[in-house]
Amino acid sequence: MSRRRWGLAGLALASVVSLTLVGCSPSSTDPGTSPSAGASDAIITTNGNEPQAPLITFGTTEVGGGKILTSIYAGLVSYSANGEPVNEVADSIESDDNITWTVKIKDGWTFTNGEAITAKTFVDTWTTAAQDAAGAYWYSNVEGVSEDGSTEPTGFAVVDDSTFTVKLKQAEADWPLRLGYTAYMPLPSVAFEDIEAFGENPIGNGPYKLEGEGAWRHDEGINLVKNEDYKGVREVKNAGLNIVFYTSLDAAYADARTGNLDVLDAVPDTSFASFETDFPDRNVNQPAAIYQGFNIPFYIDHFANDEEGKLRRAAISMSINRDEITDKIFLGTRTPATDFTSPVVDGWTDDLAGSEVLAYNPEEAKKLWAEADAISPYDGTFTLAYNSDGGHQGWVDAVTNSIANTLGIKAEGLPFPTFAAALDKRTSGTLEGATRAGWQADYPSQYNFLSAQYSTGGSSNYEGYSSKDFDAKLAEATAAGSLDESTALYKQAQEILMKDLPSVPLWYSNAVGVWAEGVQNVVFGWDSVPLYHEITKG
């Protein structure tokens, strides 16, 4: 299924650009937004994961925390079900040169503690984020900002209560498209008194708010209730959202079958053959902006960014039978990867130079592995770390078996009990082998897939990949004068990745989910996350 991903898809941008995103009601942009047939006072239960860190907008890069933050915050824009940006807090976002942007915000927005949201709110939040090691990456394109957060930004200026400007380091025609991501959402002034403590009980401005002090019960769940003062386009049609942190997808699936869980946004591989019959007319299987691969850190012995390492990475990749695994394990809920992005994002391609390394070729894989052994013999066990709370064991076993059988080496999965535990090994740089490295897009753009994960110092470049050629090509693509030019340059950037293989692409994931009897108006968005505000039951 092909879907349009960009609000400006195919438009050649002239030297003078004025981008005013259309503010419209959800019913005019999203499917499945007809008046609710269910009770508006119902609490919707859904699955989630324990966030890795306090709930701070610019410091959260994982799905568990992101799901919560997008529910309790509203930024300048939000995204419709098909990925189109629509104004939320913003009234307009305009530029004459794609370098200096003028942002006007709407009147009447407040946080749930009553504090008014003004232009200064955004400038204060963004200035703080830009000087924080966790948030600086998202603002590194702004004048005066460094990627490590060590410098004070000079590119933000308050004009009046409802207007501020942002000056970028270079022209970026698509800059407004990223502003629906959590890293750009506003924070109240109280957050800056003790940001870590604030992250335990955050105060937002979105369609939901925390039920009260202590609503986040660590390793159990978090309870959200409707924010009656919310003024955005995501009209809430239920009374709240209880997110349950499961350590097993099978347990979540069982609860959905018995009606103890209303919506499950993923299905365990043990149920791929049965979920459509277990949940007749209450299931979804549609393309989403999700990439799945695994990364091999360059600090691992035998896998450095040198001749031996390149040979081994290519051999590992060519020893995996992606077609068989997606057919036998995933039963049509995955598609073998041909690039590092997703088929539902504009610019996706299946003809990258060097992509033959993604084809199953056992003879070539053995040949390359032998060439690497001639440089330095390998006698260890190739491990692939993964979080066991995400339903990954089946495919990890299949991938490591395929590697072992093809190359004649020991290969096995290395499970961690939670996503947070697995991510801790990555962020601390203490992996002893490969690691699962899925990516669910933050905003609908190739840049989001490529920059955060692979640019030098990228916010999710946990394995420390660095390539001057890739960084330069990515910067060139970002500064291009039209989306068509950007697309061609992003392709060239991906061809550099295909040579270095900082990540070994496996497949693209579909949004595969189910919901219980009596639950209505369930729509999964472009990023595979349900539009929770639309869901009703009764």
Side-chain angles (χ1 to χ4, degrees):
M1 183 171 81
S2 174
R3 291 188 291 174
R4 186 162 163 259
R5 309 306 311 158
W6 297 66
L8 300 176
L11 175 64
L13 296 167
S15 59
V16 178
V17 173
S18 173
L19 176 58
T20 304
L21 303 178
V22 178
C24 48
S25 67
S27 60
S28 67
T29 59
D30 296 346
T33 57
S34 57
S36 168
S40 61
D41 61 352
I43 297 292
I44 305 301
T45 59
T46 189
N47 65 300
N49 301 98
E50 171 70 12
Q52 184 199 23
L55 294 168
I56 301 166
T57 53
F58 56 79
T60 298
T61 59
E62 41 80 29
V63 175
K67 179 184 295 185
I68 299 167
L69 289 170
T70 53
S71 296
I72 64 176
Y73 283 96
L76 293 171
V77 305
S78 63
Y79 304 112
S80 67
N82 65 352
E84 298 289 347
V86 294
N87 280 348
E88 279 247 71
V89 182
D91 187 51
S92 63
I93 305 171
E94 300 178 337
S95 179
D96 292 330
D97 58 6
N98 299 335
I99 296 177
T100 300
W101 292 86
T102 299
V103 180
K104 293 185 179 295
I105 66 173
K106 297 172 182 174
D107 292 332
W109 278 84
T110 62
F111 292 105
T112 56
N113 66 351
E115 180 181 328
I117 298 174
T118 66
K120 185 176 183 297
T121 304
F122 279 93
V123 169
D124 287 348
T125 302
W126 291 8
T127 298
T128 299
Q131 295 179 91
D132 186 281
Y137 163 79
W138 301 103
Y139 298 90
S140 60
N141 58 341
V142 175
E143 190 176 77
V145 179
S146 59
E147 289 196 352
D148 62 1
S150 62
T151 57
E152 184 175 354
T154 57
F156 303 132
V158 175
V159 177
D160 54 42
D161 281 351
S162 61
T163 310
F164 68 99
T165 60
V166 179
K167 187 175 182 180
L168 306 180
K169 295 174 181 175
Q170 63 181 19
E172 293 186 21
D174 64 350
W175 179 74
L177 297 186
R178 70 188 65 182
L179 299 181
Y181 180 50
T182 54
Y184 301 100
M185 293 178 179
L187 292 174
S189 57
V190 67
F192 310 124
E193 297 174 6
D194 186 337
I195 195 74
E196 295 293 318
F198 176 82
E200 293 294 322
N201 291 280
I203 297 167
N205 65 322
Y208 295 97
K209 62 182 179 179
L210 269 66
E211 186 178 46
E213 190 84 8
W216 178 8
R217 306 175 317 283
H218 285 280
D219 299 311
E220 295 181 12
I222 188 168
N223 293 352
L224 310 179
V225 295
K226 181 178 179 179
N227 176 13
E228 298 291 352
D229 296 324
Y230 168 72
K231 298 181 178 299
V233 298
R234 292 174 286 165
E235 177 190 355
V236 178
K237 298 178 181 178
N238 51 62
L241 188 64
N242 287 355
I243 303 175
V244 182
F245 302 155
Y246 284 91
T247 58
S248 164
L249 267 182
D250 288 294
Y253 189 83
D255 277 354
R257 291 195 68 181
T258 59
N260 291 323
L261 186 71
D262 294 325
V263 180
L264 176 61
D265 66 4
V267 170
D269 54 13
T270 53
S271 299
F272 283 147
S274 63
F275 77 92
E276 291 177 323
T277 53
D278 289 343
F279 295 85
D281 301 319
R282 291 179 285 113
N283 66 80
V284 66
N285 181 10
Q286 68 185 38
I290 305 176
Y291 161 92
Q292 185 70 263
F294 64 86
N295 295 0
I296 309 173
F298 289 96
Y299 58 76
I300 300 296
D301 288 345
H302 301 285
F303 288 94
N305 196 11
D306 55 19
E307 183 181 0
E308 180 195 357
K310 289 180 184 292
L311 288 168
R312 294 202 187 280
R313 289 167 190 273
I316 290 287
S317 180
M318 298 175 84
S319 69
I320 301 167
N321 193 333
R322 295 166 177 78
D323 289 329
E324 182 176 72
I325 293 172
T326 53
D327 181 48
K328 299 289 179 63
I329 299 291
F330 292 115
L331 302 179
T333 63
R334 306 289 189 274
T335 303
T338 60
D339 79 341
F340 296 84
T341 64
S342 163
V344 299
V345 175
D346 276 359
W348 168 82
T349 181
D350 60 359
D351 65 347
L352 288 176
S355 61
E356 61 272 9
V357 76
L358 304 184
Y360 180 52
N361 189 337
E363 293 307 315
E364 183 66 13
K366 292 174 184 176
K367 174 178 174 292
L368 296 177
W369 194 260
E371 291 177 13
D373 275 344
I375 298 173
S376 177
Y378 181 92
D379 59 1
T381 298
F382 183 85
T383 59
L384 175 50
Y386 67 96
N387 53 302
S388 55
D389 61 349
H392 301 295
Q393 181 179 350
W395 72 258
V396 169
D397 287 347
V399 165
T400 53
N401 286 339
S402 188
I403 293 170
N405 293 337
T406 300
L407 300 179
I409 64 173
K410 294 179 181 179
E412 59 189 30
L414 180 62
F416 288 85
T418 65
F419 178 83
L423 189 56
D424 284 343
K425 291 292 287 185
R426 298 183 64 191
T427 57
S428 62
T430 56
L431 288 164
E432 298 178 358
T435 175
R436 182 187 80 83
W439 185 260
Q440 180 173 313
D442 304 307
Y443 51 90
S445 161
Q446 281 196 82
Y447 180 82
N448 180 240
F449 282 88
L450 302 179
S451 178
Q453 296 185 90
Y454 309 118
S455 66
T456 301
S459 65
S460 295
N461 186 356
Y462 303 123
E463 282 66 63
Y465 172 66
S466 182
S467 165
K468 292 181 179 179
D469 290 342
F470 175 77
D471 291 345
K473 191 60 66 176
L474 196 64
E476 188 181 355
T478 305
S482 74
L483 296 181
D484 286 342
E485 291 177 47
S486 291
T487 296
L489 292 166
Y490 283 134
K491 182 177 181 180
Q492 293 175 31
Q494 289 203 67
E495 288 172 347
I496 296 171
L497 296 180
M498 200 62 75
K499 293 178 182 178
D500 294 345
L501 287 179
S503 182
V504 177
L506 291 174
W507 41 75
Y508 312 114
S509 298
N510 280 6
V512 182
V514 296
W515 51 95
E517 289 188 19
V519 178
Q520 301 110 15
N521 300 326
V522 181
V523 176
F524 279 64
W526 63 278
D527 56 356
S528 84
V529 177
L531 277 62
Y532 294 113
H533 61 282
E534 293 285 349
I535 301 173
T536 60
K537 68 176 181 179

